[in-house]
Amino acid sequence: MQQGSVFRHWIYYFFAIFHICSVAAAQTVYSVTEESSPGTTVGNLAKDLHLDVQELESRGFQISGPNTRYLEVNVKTGVLLVKDRIDREGLCSRNVKCSLEVEAIVNTPLNLYRFDVKILDINDHAPSFRIPEIVLNVSESAFVGEKFALPKAIDADVGSFSVKSYKLSQTEHFTLDVQNSGEPSMFAEMVLHKTLDREKQPAIKLTLTAVDGGKPPKSGTLRITVNVQDVNDNIPIFDKALYKASVQENAPRGAAVISVHARDLDEGPNGEIQYSFINQDNDNDVDKFAINPITGEITVNGELDHEKNNAVEIRVQAKDKGQNPRASHCKVLVEISDINDNPPEISVTSLVNVVREDATIDTMVGLITVRDFDADKNGVVQVRIVDSVPFKIKNTYKNHYSLVVDGALDRERVSQYNVTIKASDEGLPPLSSTSIITVHVSDVNDNAPQFKEPVINIFVKENSPVGALIYTLTANDPDVDENAKVTFSLTNNQKNNVKGSLININSETGDIVTLQSFNYEELKVFQFKVQATDSGVPPLSSNVTVTVLILDVNDNNPTILAPYSEHGSVNSENIPYSAEAGYFVAKIRAVDADSGYNALLSYHLSESKGNNLFRIGTSTGEIRTKRRMSDNDLKTHPLLVLVSDNGEPSLSATVSIEVVVVENSADIQTQFRHVPVKEDSFSDLNLYLLIAIVSVSAIFLLSLISLIAVKCHRTDSSFSRYSAPMITTHPDGSWSYSKSTQQYDVCFSSDTLKSDVVVFPAPFPPVDAELISITEGDTFTRTQTLPNNEKVRCKPI
């Protein structure tokens, strides 16, 4: 037991130190100049990696990987040394950035360190031209300003040590035009400065010198012979000085790239143009293209590889067929676009092939290196594990990854994992490669039941029957026998909770059943936690949160809101005969206790009589007239309004409204709802009331006449400040008169010959009193027929 504890301690110590050092190494960068002598010190590796120099030799500290040829480490001092000649140009060609990725390995415990060694350029190469001499045939009639392309100088060095300038030997006829758009696009053109005279000087010898940026600078020369020729007047002229095109790498031979075009104003052979490439320095990249001498179409003539060269600059010459041909040139820049033709490469550099099943998360198992030589997205690699295994891939440094533990391991179920690593790039279509790593698992038992998800949502319709099965819980335990036997229960803090009265859980099967029928309008959602426990010793468990959401069903009818009542009573509304189309009659309001579409209400109108006079807003419930009244229309229109919800099946409520057509709009202002109106003539009621008043008391008649007289003489403005005087009749035969400023109680018997009159102030009339309005025309609007009753009543007036 003691030895096992010591071993486990060293294993944890090893992984912790490895992780810390790997991060530190990822930030370590050294620099060394190329061509440094073997034995040159690069840096103190042991110090920078925080290693004990005394233990380096015993732990087998050494440089590993593909760059062991150039570097080595002194295990006595821990110093990193140059081992062999380093040629920057041979390693990185003309790339601006050049570095070696170096790996160092130390044992007991095993650890891997990565760091970069930058290779600094020295000016060890002079500019040079691929050919020593060129010959230019220039017409003596060439125009001043005409340009002649010159070969580019090549310098293996980069940066400040590359070609920085060109110089032309002294001449009165030519000047040098240097085009510098950044390395490596610097090139020179010879420009005619003074017209040529073949009779005076048939040939001109010049020297072009290319100078780099070293200190001291180095240079290379090119001999130029200019033969002055006597040719035709006009030169071919290209449509563009610069053509740009793009072609995919691996394009087949003969694939079209671009067409150039030039025109010559001469006639006959002097105007006939032939196209060709200017490849004075025998550039192999130019040879990968061909041009049709007649049409100027440029096609693919060789294998194109974006990884070797992503762009090719071609100079095209257009020459006429005159006796002394004249020519012009243009530049074609062909971009070689990358296609996804290189699959990722996977290599395993280090592997611990045995791991304990109780290993913690992120315990390292193996080291993986992935490379893809394509560019841009085609070279972006995503690494993943194909199978469902308790491991994952972590990116540690650039294209280096580590395989680490990402879940619980159980040797009783799986004693060996064949982990399939798949690396896929982001090209279209993507390319991929796979590698299989075998990992052995040592035995430890510590598995708990696991739910598939931490939160479970259950949807139950309201009014579902009691005892209905609403969900079955499942939990997986990767153990076997008793350790895998799972029981379900509510967590301890919820056993006595209200949830226990709503649901029940079968501890063996995980079935959840209801203990009562749910009502969405009272309870919409509730939540509880369930614990899954295995039968191991000691038992292990896990929890899951269960959310029960009650779904609404259409079990509530719409309810009509006041002032209207539902079906069973008649509601009355009056409209004037002169009402225009669209006249507002009434607005029906209703609510539904359900939700969603079950509470989405619509209003519909059913006219049992009449001539289709009214309409209702389906969504607003507003009843309006469709047209003006006619003499053929009925005076009373019973309407039945149906309010329906949008549920399945739909539920509804109805309300009955009786619309009465009256002659004057003033009559509408004093009408009260829910009071039936009889069709007695307006004049009969006036006469009946006057006789009653006279028979009761002459004093009351004089008072009433004076009040009516005051009201009739009020202006419209004063009438707007006071409410209309009213006489109210009651079922017991009494009646009352009211004004906005004063009220009176009148007691009398229905037998008007024997009645006494008592008039006295009183409070406002009851809300439910039926009113008789006296208008300015001294007429009465009758709302209640006066009944016969011998009892004496006192009512407010």
Side-chain angles (χ1 to χ4, degrees):
M1 290 296 293
Q2 186 176 3
Q3 291 179 352
S5 300
V6 173
F7 176 75
R8 183 162 54 250
H9 171 75
W10 279 106
I11 289 293
Y12 292 157
Y13 176 78
F14 161 71
F15 286 120
I17 295 299
F18 179 85
H19 177 73
I20 294 173
C21 293
S22 295
V23 175
Q27 300 175 351
T28 304
V29 179
Y30 297 100
S31 298
V32 64
T33 57
E34 67 172 330
E35 306 296 343
S36 295
S37 302
T40 301
T41 300
V42 178
N44 192 329
L45 192 58
K47 178 181 177 180
D48 295 336
L49 299 181
H50 305 289
L51 297 176
D52 189 350
V53 178
Q54 305 300 327
E55 298 178 357
L56 294 182
E57 187 172 6
S58 62
R59 295 180 64 183
F61 187 56
Q62 60 179 344
I63 300 300
S64 66
N67 296 316
T68 55
R69 168 188 169 186
Y70 302 104
L71 300 167
E72 62 181 357
V73 64
N74 187 331
V75 295
K76 302 292 185 181
T77 62
V79 175
L80 183 66
L81 304 174
V82 176
K83 183 179 179 182
D84 194 5
R85 172 180 174 269
I86 301 176
D87 183 7
R88 186 186 186 281
E89 287 71 28
L91 289 173
C92 304
S93 184
R94 290 184 51 81
N95 291 328
V96 176
K97 295 181 180 180
C98 183
S99 62
L100 297 176
E101 290 186 5
V102 185
E103 298 176 352
I105 294 180
V106 64
N107 297 311
T108 44
L110 174 65
N111 210 338
L112 177 68
Y113 303 90
R114 296 187 180 92
F115 54 92
D116 291 345
V117 178
K118 288 186 178 180
I119 309 303
L120 304 179
D121 191 22
I122 63 174
N123 194 20
D124 56 341
H125 293 86
S128 63
F129 296 87
R130 288 191 172 95
I131 54 176
E133 182 179 9
I134 64 169
V135 177
L136 297 177
N137 296 318
V138 182
S139 171
E140 67 174 347
S141 62
F143 299 105
V144 173
E146 188 172 344
K147 296 182 179 181
F148 304 91
L150 299 176
K152 291 190 299 183
I154 305 299
D155 194 331
D157 296 320
V158 297
S160 60
F161 299 138
S162 62
V163 176
K164 293 300 179 183
S165 63
Y166 289 91
K167 297 179 181 179
L168 186 66
S169 58
Q170 188 66 33
T171 174
E172 64 176 347
H173 293 286
F174 295 95
T175 59
L176 195 64
D177 182 14
V178 179
Q179 302 291 331
N180 183 9
S181 58
E183 185 186 354
S185 299
M186 177 180 288
F187 62 93
E189 293 179 329
M190 200 165 61
V191 183
L192 183 61
H193 179 67
K194 182 180 179 181
T195 56
L196 301 174
D197 189 349
R198 186 177 179 278
E199 287 68 30
K200 292 183 179 181
Q201 193 176 7
I204 301 174
K205 300 291 185 179
L206 301 172
T207 301
L208 177 65
T209 303
V211 182
D212 65 15
K215 293 183 180 181
K218 295 184 178 182
S219 62
T221 59
L222 172 71
R223 297 189 302 276
I224 303 173
T225 300
V226 179
N227 294 324
V228 183
Q229 294 182 337
D230 198 1
V231 293
N232 53 53
D233 297 330
N234 295 289
I235 63 172
I237 300 175
F238 281 95
D239 295 340
K240 299 179 181 179
L242 174 64
Y243 290 83
K244 293 183 178 180
S246 177
V247 62
Q248 288 187 340
E249 64 173 333
N250 299 336
R253 290 179 180 268
V257 179
I258 196 174
S259 293
V260 298
H261 178 263
R263 52 190 176 88
D264 194 317
L265 298 179
D266 294 326
E267 295 183 352
N270 292 333
E272 296 178 5
I273 298 175
Q274 283 187 326
Y275 300 95
S276 62
F277 290 153
I278 301 175
N279 191 12
Q280 298 166 328
D281 49 5
N282 297 323
D283 189 350
N284 293 330
D285 292 329
V286 176
D287 293 337
K288 295 178 181 179
F289 298 89
I291 188 168
N292 187 313
I294 305 300
T295 64
E297 182 183 24
I298 299 176
T299 57
V300 177
N301 192 42
E303 183 179 352
L304 303 179
D305 192 348
H306 174 87
E307 286 71 43
K308 294 180 179 179
N309 195 357
N310 59 7
V312 177
E313 184 180 293
I314 305 174
R315 297 188 188 185
V316 180
Q317 175 180 266
K319 181 184 291 186
D320 60 30
K321 297 182 179 179
Q323 184 177 2
N324 295 317
R326 300 188 65 182
S328 64
H329 66 276
C330 70
K331 185 165 64 174
V332 179
L333 184 61
V334 180
E335 178 185 355
I336 302 175
S337 58
D338 182 52
I339 63 173
N340 198 19
D341 57 346
N342 292 286
E345 296 178 359
I346 303 175
S347 61
V348 180
T349 58
S350 179
L351 179 67
V352 179
N353 61 351
V354 178
V355 60
R356 291 172 56 88
E357 66 173 333
D358 63 346
T360 59
I361 300 297
D362 290 337
T363 299
M364 187 177 66
V365 178
L367 301 175
I368 303 167
T369 302
V370 180
R371 295 180 182 274
D372 193 312
F373 294 100
D374 290 318
D376 301 327
K377 287 189 175 181
N378 295 330
V380 177
V381 179
Q382 301 295 333
V383 183
R384 64 184 180 90
I385 298 176
V386 176
D387 304 321
S388 178
V389 292
F391 303 97
K392 69 177 180 179
I393 299 295
K394 291 182 64 176
N395 182 253
T396 57
Y397 176 70
K398 293 185 178 178
N399 58 336
H400 299 282
Y401 302 84
S402 61
L403 177 66
V404 299
V405 176
D406 189 43
L409 304 177
D410 190 351
R411 186 182 182 280
E412 286 71 26
R413 293 183 56 212
V414 181
S415 61
Q416 174 181 304
Y417 288 94
N418 292 321
V419 183
T420 303
I421 308 298
K422 184 174 183 179
S424 303
D425 58 32
E426 296 184 0
L428 291 175
L431 299 179
S432 61
S433 58
T434 59
S435 178
I436 299 177
I437 299 176
T438 302
V439 180
H440 299 277
V441 181
S442 60
D443 184 30
V444 168
N445 182 23
D446 57 350
N447 293 293
Q450 294 293 328
F451 289 96
K452 293 183 179 179
E453 50 192 9
V455 177
I456 296 176
N457 294 324
I458 304 174
F459 297 91
V460 181
K461 287 186 177 181
E462 66 173 327
N463 304 328
S464 59
V466 176
L469 174 65
I470 60 174
Y471 196 79
T472 299
L473 294 172
T474 58
N476 295 325
D477 193 319
D479 294 326
V480 294
D481 300 330
E482 290 299 316
N483 293 330
K485 186 177 180 181
V486 181
T487 58
F488 302 92
S489 64
L490 289 173
T491 56
N492 292 330
N493 59 346
Q494 296 190 29
K495 287 184 177 180
N496 298 323
N497 194 281
V498 68
K499 308 301 183 300
S501 63
L502 301 178
I503 55 94
N504 183 46
I505 299 177
N506 188 311
S507 61
E508 299 296 331
T509 64
D511 291 343
I512 301 177
V513 296
T514 61
L515 297 180
Q516 68 176 48
S517 181
F518 302 115
N519 186 352
Y520 175 83
E521 286 70 38
E522 296 178 357
L523 179 65
K524 293 180 174 57
V525 63
F526 64 91
Q527 195 176 69
F528 56 93
K529 288 188 177 181
V530 177
Q531 184 178 73
T533 307
D534 61 26
S535 300
V537 179
L540 300 176
S541 62
S542 62
N543 295 338
V544 66
T545 300
V546 180
T547 302
V548 179
L549 298 99
I550 311 303
L551 301 178
D552 182 48
V553 298
N554 195 21
D555 58 347
N556 289 282
N557 291 74
T559 302
I560 307 297
L561 297 180
Y564 300 101
S565 58
E566 296 184 10
H567 188 66
S569 61
V570 178
N571 304 274
S572 177
E573 291 289 350
N574 295 342
I575 63 172
Y577 177 80
S578 60
E580 299 287 340
Y583 180 84
F584 177 81
V585 178
K587 180 178 179 67
I588 307 301
R589 294 180 176 88
V591 294
D592 195 311
D594 294 318
S595 63
Y597 283 98
N598 295 332
L600 182 61
L601 302 181
S602 59
Y603 300 85
H604 306 279
L605 188 60
S606 174
E607 289 184 282
S608 58
K609 298 180 181 179
N611 296 318
N612 196 19
L613 180 60
F614 302 97
R615 60 181 173 84
I616 189 169
T618 306
S619 59
T620 63
E622 291 185 356
I623 301 176
R624 295 180 181 272
T625 58
K626 287 185 178 179
R627 54 180 175 78
R628 286 181 58 88
M629 301 288 179
S630 65
D631 294 337
N632 296 328
D633 290 327
L634 300 175
K635 299 302 180 182
T636 302
H637 298 265
L639 304 180
L640 180 63
V641 179
L642 177 67
V643 183
S644 303
D645 59 28
N646 206 38
E648 289 292 339
S650 177
L651 299 179
S652 62
T654 59
V655 59
S656 297
I657 298 178
E658 187 175 76
V659 182
V660 179
V661 180
V662 298
E663 295 296 332
N664 295 321
S665 59
D667 299 338
I668 300 175
Q669 299 175 1
T670 59
Q671 296 296 318
F672 281 74
R673 289 191 181 96
H674 315 310
V675 180
V677 178
K678 295 187 178 180
E679 297 296 331
D680 294 343
S681 65
F682 203 73
S683 59
D684 291 342
L685 178 60
N686 187 19
L687 179 60
Y688 178 82
L689 292 176
L690 289 176
I691 293 173
I693 294 170
V694 172
S695 63
V696 173
S697 175
I699 298 174
F700 178 78
L701 180 60
L702 292 175
S703 300
L704 180 61
I705 292 173
S706 64
L707 291 173
I708 295 174
V710 173
K711 178 182 180 299
C712 292
H713 288 83
R714 285 182 181 154
T715 61
D716 293 339
S717 59
S718 63
F719 181 80
S720 63
R721 294 195 301 268
Y722 298 93
S723 61
M726 296 182 181
I727 294 177
T728 306
T729 64
H730 302 280
D732 59 357
S734 63
W735 53 272
S736 62
Y737 171 84
S738 66
K739 284 180 58 179
S740 61
T741 58
Q742 57 186 347
Q743 295 181 347
Y744 304 92
D745 280 352
V746 179
C747 296
F748 65 97
S749 171
S750 58
D751 186 355
T752 57
L753 298 178
K754 300 178 181 181
S755 296
D756 295 328
V757 177
V758 180
V759 181
F760 55 88
F764 292 105
V767 177
D768 58 352
E770 284 71 29
L771 304 179
I772 298 176
S773 175
I774 300 176
T775 65
E776 292 183 9
D778 292 332
T779 59
F780 293 92
T781 299
R782 181 175 180 178
T783 61
Q784 179 72 35
T785 303
L786 296 176
N788 292 325
N789 197 317
E790 296 298 332
K791 296 181 180 180
V792 178
R793 300 294 183 188
C794 292
K795 296 296 287 185
I797 185 171

